[in-house]
Amino acid sequence: MAVRSGQGNPSSPRKAARDAELQAEAQRLRDLLQPVVEKHDLFLEDIDIKTAGVQRTVHVIVDLPEDRQGGVGLDVISSVSLDLSEAMDNDTHDDGRPYSLEISSPGVSRPLTEPRHWRRNVGRLVEVTPASGDNVVGRLLEVSADGIRLLPQLPVKKGMKPRQGEPMTLEFSRIRKGTVQVEFAHAEDEHHEDNGADGPGDPGPAHPA
């Protein structure tokens, strides 16, 4: 098959422009909706917009402030959903396209990418992927402005009780990835799971426009 020169991929510029438009709209909605979320004593974690034709799906992720433990209950999700839907319905700068509004909380599976994420999980078992070296699993003891301090769990044979190593400190600049490890026999984890904390794959109420 002959290949014609001088012709790029026309979809790439269009996709880049569409992505930039969605990012700008997400930031505009963040400015609009953040005061509504804060009125419920919640933190606006993220806003993600997806489109299918003229239909938009606006996914708003809310979380508890970093000084509070637990998850966002379904009753709170329902209450903030109504206020967010009202704010969007009354948005004078909206272009009028139909939308579906989804509200959820991050859940324990979300990556730990910000210091506030780590602070919200002090006391939990976490897995840390450093910039170099092996992964470390341990109990998160404290979080500072520069990094974390944790009590590592040493590898043991199957069926044996976990052994703990010496406390260690990792700077945020040396951490590539962090995740919370769910402990099914841990009472606090069971409380989190029963407290209505939804992940992005398990959204809360959806409000079609």
Side-chain angles (χ1 to χ4, degrees), residues 36 77-87 89 101 103 207:
V36 180
I77 290 286
S78 179
S79 179
V80 71
S81 295
L82 293 175
D83 286 350
L84 290 175
S85 181
E86 181 180 1
D89 288 343
L101 179 63
I103 317 294
H207 295 272

Side-chain angles (χ1 to χ4, degrees), residues 15 17 49 57 74 92 114 142-143 148 157 169 177 192:
K15 183 178 184 303
I49 303 175
T57 299
L74 290 177
T92 57
E114 302 287 341
E142 58 181 298
V143 181
I148 65 172
K157 292 183 180 180
T169 300
K177 180 183 177 182
H192 277 258

